[in-house]
Amino acid sequence: MSELPTLINDLALILIVAGVVTLVFKKLRQPLVLGYVMAGFLVSPHMPYTMSVMDNVDIKTWADIGVMFLLFSLGLDFSFKKILKKGVAPMVAACTIIFFMTTLGAVVGHSFGWKRMDCIFLGGMLAMSSTTIIYKALDDMGLRQQKFASMVMSVLILEDILAIVMMVMLSALASGNNPDGGQMLESVLKIGFFLVLWFVVGIFLVPMFLRSMRKLINSETLLIVALGLCCLMSVLSTKVGFSSAFGAFVMGSILAETIEAERIIKLVEPVKNLFGAIFFVSVGMLVDPKVIIDYALPIAALVLTILAGQAVFGTLGFMLAGQSLKSAMRCGFSMAQIGEFSFIIASLGLSLGVIGQFLYPVVVAVSVITTFLTPYMIKLSVPCYNMLERRLPKPWIRAMNNVALSHPAQRGHNNWKRLISQLVRITVVYSILSAATIALMFTFFLPFIRSVMPGMHWWANGICGLATVLLISPFLRAMVMKKNHSEEFKALWSESRLNRLPLIVTILVRVAVASLFVFYVCNFLTRFTNALMISIAVAVVLLMILSRRLKRSSIMMERMFILNLRSRDIEDQVMGRKRPLYAGHLLDRNIHIGEFSLPEDTQWGGCKLKELKLRNKYGVMVSSILRGHHRINIPNGDDELFPGDRIQAIGNDEQLAAFGHAVEGEVFDIDVDIEKREMKLRQMVIDGKSTFVGKTLGESGIRDKYNCMVVGLEEGKENLSPIEPSRPFAKGDIIWIVGEEEALQELLSV
């Protein structure tokens, strides 16, 4: 019999040890991440007393896959819309913390004489608090529902996103011998370009594809499709110079906006857990006890740096984000540890070959120590605040409580600000789409058409140019015409004549930008004079503006994008997980929507709405009935209600309160004789004196009068024979009857 491959032996060892160790950590109520790291340490070559993994290269490949799926799952839990709704406060806190902690880490590394890249990567590692560890700590301590915890989780999500950007930046930094500010700015712009491009194109295409395939996709195919899209985006990401993890995160964030997101999260969870476990085990395999002993002093210094740095600068960041001093201290103290993203950044540095081998085990040791200290830091925040409150002057406490950069947002009447921000966003997005389309056409279509038309170089250029302009025309028209009829534009136009010239300038600027794209296409493919190309570009843009067909296609594309972007919100509203958008407008009119679930023993079960007369009795209007995955909007009087239905009703507070009492109150009484409801089976012999002789099943009244049921006729066969309704009972028939004990006794006594 052939031997198993080394990889299978290694996986068996890893998963068995990881399973045993994580069970122990689960019993000790410690994060499973630490259990995986400990398991990796036990199977590493640095542990001489246990079996060791033999092929580290294959395990490293699997660990890279684990990182990819970890970030794919992170993207599935992430929503750009949710982050934008929270405003600027979490961004202020996250950027403040990352800046100061990165600086602190680099300074500490420099003080120990470590190399420049070691210090830079160390700063990135120390800036990343662990979402997993903090979430578990807050949950175990019963603090997850408190107000400060929600702010902490918002900042942690943003830190995870910024960690992705930091990884791309560190990769760019590591690839250059001496990168300057210009190269760093180029990297940032490149990240922004591809992030916007992929997100916009992905939101347009992926939900549309899933929607068209919805009837064909089951759980198995959905898992394969989701993982396939993840790997595809990872490949595209590496092709343009980013990491595969970055592409996986982007695809996860795209799928997070689809209706299938919840199903994908559940389906991907086991895959993520498997490969994620292998990744964290591979982290533990790099822990060298000798390195930890040799670097005990730097480890202690880094632990103190994290604890003190987050306590001070974490608190400062949350104060700048608008939190009171007490709340800010609770938030800052909660973030005093590093975790999974620190490991990912460390593995990135090792794979790029720019950091020393010692740094990985040092960071793992720091993570383990700070993780164990996390609950104590959370508990310590309130006593520290109380001590400050006692010792600092009262005016100082009041001043620190008033430090805030993000006060409650005031609904703007600044139409100029809103209009300009919308125009900038539209221009940037459509410019990116146009630039990407031109790049694809010139890279792939132009060589192809030239090869198809040899000796006809200029004709091939003309066909490519015409096709390119047609493809980008919806984007250019939308760039020029979007928001020209918006409420802000109209208000500013009618508000003052002084506003009209600047408003016209905004249109002309966008016309100029759109013309530049057409000019670039002409300039690349022709040898016309500049004056002629400018004239052609302006004329083409004007034709786009006047084209009604192009207007319809542009509007249709935008509506499709908005529909795809809102599809998950729409599903949540349809399934009753979120209130309809119009619910907020009803509050202004002293009415709102209430949702009520019909109890299992409701008296309304099977009743039609017109029979219940809910509007006459309680004054409410039933807007929707939610039944499983089915939603009935604007039900009519013939629609029936059933136990378990969720009813969305519109009314004022008093009406909805009365309706709620009726829903809960109009139920069947509890059956106090439940023991008597047991069903039993009895045999009954029809003798000559029986009143049932000569009567059919319906005429006998066994069901209607005695509330029993005949289940069959015994004829000496293996199975009971069914009784035909028209067959009369005869003397000697043996029938089997089901019913309650009292009913059976009454029937048998006849």
Side-chain angles (χ1 to χ4, degrees):
M1 185 175 178
S2 60
E3 294 185 0
L4 284 174
T6 304
L7 176 62
I8 303 299
N9 289 323
D10 288 342
L11 280 178
L13 177 62
I14 285 174
L15 295 178
I16 289 296
V17 175
V20 173
V21 174
T22 50
L23 285 174
V24 174
F25 272 66
K26 188 76 172 177
K27 182 71 174 177
L28 297 175
R29 300 178 64 85
Q30 296 299 323
L32 294 185
V33 173
L34 293 182
Y36 293 138
V37 173
M38 181 61 68
F41 174 69
L42 293 176
V43 300
S44 71
H46 305 298
M47 193 68 177
Y49 306 107
T50 58
M51 295 177 62
S52 300
V53 170
M54 292 177 284
D55 191 346
N56 290 335
V57 176
D58 284 340
I59 297 300
K60 176 66 170 59
T61 302
W62 284 53
D64 290 340
I65 297 174
V67 174
M68 187 173 71
F69 286 141
L70 279 173
L71 293 181
F72 178 61
S73 298
L74 175 66
L76 286 170
D77 288 328
F78 172 76
S79 173
F80 285 100
K81 294 183 295 183
K82 290 180 181 178
I83 294 297
L84 291 175
K85 287 178 182 177
K86 290 184 180 295
V88 74
M91 181 64 74
V92 170
C95 291
T96 303
I97 294 170
I98 289 176
F99 173 77
F100 282 109
M101 292 305 297
T102 302
T103 305
L104 271 180
V107 169
V108 172
H110 182 73
S111 67
F112 286 107
W114 295 347
K115 294 180 181 178
R116 176 171 171 268
M117 292 305 297
D118 288 333
C119 296
I120 293 174
F121 272 78
L122 177 65
M125 297 174 211
L126 264 58
M128 296 296 114
S129 298
S130 171
T131 305
T132 304
I133 293 169
I134 295 175
Y135 182 90
K136 187 180 187 308
L138 293 172
D139 195 36
D140 291 344
M141 298 173 70
L143 301 174
R144 195 161 57 86
Q145 303 302 326
Q146 295 195 12
K147 184 179 179 181
F148 85 95
S150 64
M151 185 64 177
V152 169
M153 296 309 297
S154 299
V155 172
L156 286 171
I157 292 172
L158 272 175
E159 278 195 356
D160 291 344
I161 307 311
L162 294 174
I164 306 292
V165 179
M166 182 182 291
M167 289 169 60
V168 178
M169 298 289 292
L170 290 173
S171 299
L173 192 65
S175 63
N177 295 326
N178 188 22
D180 55 17
Q183 289 175 304
M184 297 300 291
L185 179 61
E186 182 182 350
S187 299
V188 173
L189 293 176
K190 185 179 179 182
I191 294 170
F193 178 87
F194 282 103
L195 191 61
V196 173
L197 175 64
W198 288 337
F199 186 74
V200 172
V201 175
I203 288 294
F204 187 81
L205 296 179
V206 173
M208 191 162 56
F209 165 73
L210 292 176
R211 190 182 301 121
S212 63
M213 297 291 108
R214 192 168 291 160
K215 293 183 179 179
L216 303 176
I217 291 181
N218 57 19
S219 295
E220 181 181 356
T221 54
L222 182 60
L223 174 63
I224 301 302
V225 168
L227 295 182
L229 291 171
C230 169
C231 295
L232 173 63
M233 185 58 78
S234 297
V235 171
L236 289 176
S237 179
T238 56
K239 292 294 185 183
V240 298
F242 300 142
S243 66
S244 59
F246 181 71
F249 169 79
V250 171
M251 180 50 68
S253 64
I254 292 171
L255 290 173
E257 304 299 340
T258 65
I259 291 177
E260 289 78 10
E262 295 292 339
R263 288 179 62 196
I264 293 174
I265 290 172
K266 294 177 182 177
L267 292 171
V268 171
E269 186 76 14
V271 180
K272 180 204 72 172
N273 291 340
L274 171 63
F275 287 101
I278 295 173
F279 166 70
F280 289 117
V281 169
S282 71
V283 169
M285 289 168 58
L286 293 173
V287 177
D288 188 348
K290 185 177 182 301
V291 172
I292 294 177
I293 294 172
D294 293 342
Y295 287 86
L297 180 59
I299 289 172
L302 290 174
V303 169
L304 291 175
T305 300
I306 292 172
L307 298 180
Q310 289 286 7
V312 175
F313 296 115
T315 299
L316 175 63
F318 283 100
M319 286 174 61
L320 294 176
Q323 299 293 306
S324 65
L325 177 59
K326 183 177 182 179
S327 178
M329 289 184 69
R330 298 186 76 184
C331 294
F333 278 59
S334 301
M335 301 184 67
Q337 83 292 116
I338 58 175
E340 54 272 13
F341 258 110
S342 301
F343 303 153
I344 294 172
I345 293 174
S347 64
L348 173 66
L350 280 180
S351 64
L352 295 173
V354 295
I355 65 173
Q357 295 289 333
F358 72 92
L359 196 54
Y360 208 127
V362 166
V363 168
V364 172
V366 171
S367 174
V368 172
I369 296 171
T370 54
T371 297
F372 280 116
L373 294 176
T374 295
Y376 302 101
M377 287 294 292
I378 296 174
K379 293 177 182 177
L380 191 62
S381 61
V382 176
C384 285
Y385 170 77
N386 293 334
M387 183 187 69
L388 281 178
E389 193 175 35
R390 286 194 305 268
R391 299 198 175 185
L392 290 179
K394 298 277 186 191
W396 290 22
I397 297 292
R398 285 196 298 269
M400 285 188 284
N401 281 330
N402 290 331
V403 172
L405 291 180
S406 56
H407 296 289
Q410 297 177 350
R411 276 294 197 216
H413 298 291
N414 191 342
N415 290 323
W416 270 116
K417 182 179 179 180
R418 290 205 303 273
L419 180 63
I420 295 299
S421 63
Q422 291 169 358
L423 292 179
V424 169
R425 183 173 64 250
I426 290 167
T427 303
V428 169
V429 170
Y430 285 118
S431 294
I432 289 174
L433 291 174
S434 301
T437 304
I438 293 171
L440 289 173
M441 291 295 290
F442 288 178
T443 303
F444 299 104
F445 184 73
L446 182 58
F448 168 75
I449 196 67
R450 285 176 176 175
S451 65
V452 172
M453 303 174 66
M456 305 176 69
H457 179 85
W458 296 112
W459 281 102
N461 284 6
I463 293 174
C464 178
L466 182 60
T468 303
V469 171
L470 288 175
L471 286 175
I472 65 174
S473 57
F475 308 142
L476 299 185
R477 189 191 185 283
M479 181 194 303
V480 174
M481 299 302 295
K482 192 79 175 132
K483 296 299 177 183
N484 289 347
H485 300 286
S486 64
E487 295 298 324
E488 294 85 359
F489 194 98
K490 293 177 181 177
L492 290 169
W493 185 272
S494 59
E495 184 180 290
S496 172
R497 290 190 175 184
L498 296 176
N499 289 336
R500 296 183 180 182
L501 180 59
L503 288 171
I504 294 173
V505 169
T506 62
I507 298 174
L508 294 177
V509 168
R510 285 177 285 153
V511 169
V513 173
S515 301
L516 282 175
F517 284 101
V518 181
F519 175 83
Y520 176 80
V521 173
C522 295
N523 187 56
F524 189 86
L525 298 174
T526 68
R527 293 183 179 177
F528 298 147
T529 62
N530 287 340
L532 180 58
M533 286 188 292
I534 291 172
S535 301
I536 293 174
V538 174
V540 169
V541 171
L542 291 177
L543 287 174
M544 292 177 186
I545 294 172
L546 297 174
S547 172
R548 292 187 173 274
R549 184 174 182 179
L550 195 58
K551 177 183 178 180
R552 288 194 298 270
S553 63
S554 177
I555 293 174
M556 182 187 69
M557 290 173 60
E558 184 172 348
R559 286 177 178 173
M560 180 63 70
F561 178 82
I562 297 298
L563 176 64
N564 291 343
L565 191 62
R566 292 189 57 242
S567 59
R568 192 172 180 183
D569 288 338
I570 293 172
E571 188 213 17
D572 288 340
Q573 293 175 36
V574 170
M575 302 310 298
R577 293 190 291 266
K578 182 183 289 188
R579 291 185 181 276
L581 290 178
Y582 67 82
H585 299 291
L586 294 177
L587 290 174
D588 299 333
R589 291 153 181 81
N590 196 32
I591 57 175
H592 58 94
I593 294 178
E595 185 171 302
F596 308 87
S597 295
L598 290 185
E600 294 182 358
D601 52 355
T602 179
Q603 296 179 8
W604 297 358
C607 296
K608 297 180 179 180
L609 289 177
K610 63 183 179 183
E611 298 170 353
L612 295 173
K613 300 179 180 179
L614 301 179
R615 186 166 188 177
N616 294 335
K617 291 180 180 179
Y618 311 108
V620 298
M621 296 172 287
V622 177
S623 60
S624 302
I625 301 173
L626 286 74
R627 183 176 300 145
H629 292 284
H630 182 54
R631 183 186 184 99
I632 305 172
N633 286 327
I634 320 298
N636 57 41
D638 292 324
D639 285 312
E640 297 177 328
L641 297 179
F642 296 98
D645 283 354
R646 287 178 292 157
I647 302 173
Q648 289 186 343
I650 300 175
N652 59 33
D653 291 337
E654 293 78 13
Q655 293 168 341
L656 292 175
F659 181 66
H661 289 310
V663 169
E664 297 295 331
E666 296 189 22
V667 295
F668 292 106
D669 294 332
I670 296 175
D671 191 351
V672 294
D673 296 324
I674 191 68
E675 292 83 2
K676 297 180 180 180
R677 301 292 173 256
E678 181 184 9
M679 298 283 284
K680 295 185 178 181
L681 178 67
R682 292 285 188 272
Q683 184 188 67
M684 180 177 176
V685 179
I686 306 294
D687 56 24
K689 299 178 180 180
S690 175
T691 59
F692 299 140
V693 174
K695 294 182 179 180
T696 63
L697 188 61
E699 295 170 344
S700 67
I702 292 176
R703 177 187 289 269
D704 300 330
K705 183 178 179 180
Y706 299 101
N707 198 32
C708 294
M709 181 173 65
V710 177
V711 295
L713 177 68
E714 186 174 313
E715 296 180 318
K717 301 177 182 177
E718 183 177 353
N719 299 319
L720 295 176
S721 302
I723 296 181
E724 296 294 331
S726 59
R727 178 190 181 281
F729 289 114
K731 179 182 178 181
D733 283 348
I734 302 174
I735 58 176
W736 288 86
I737 304 171
V738 169
E740 295 178 5
E741 182 65 29
E742 291 184 2
L744 289 172
Q745 292 295 339
E746 183 182 358
L747 176 63
L748 294 174
S749 64
V750 176

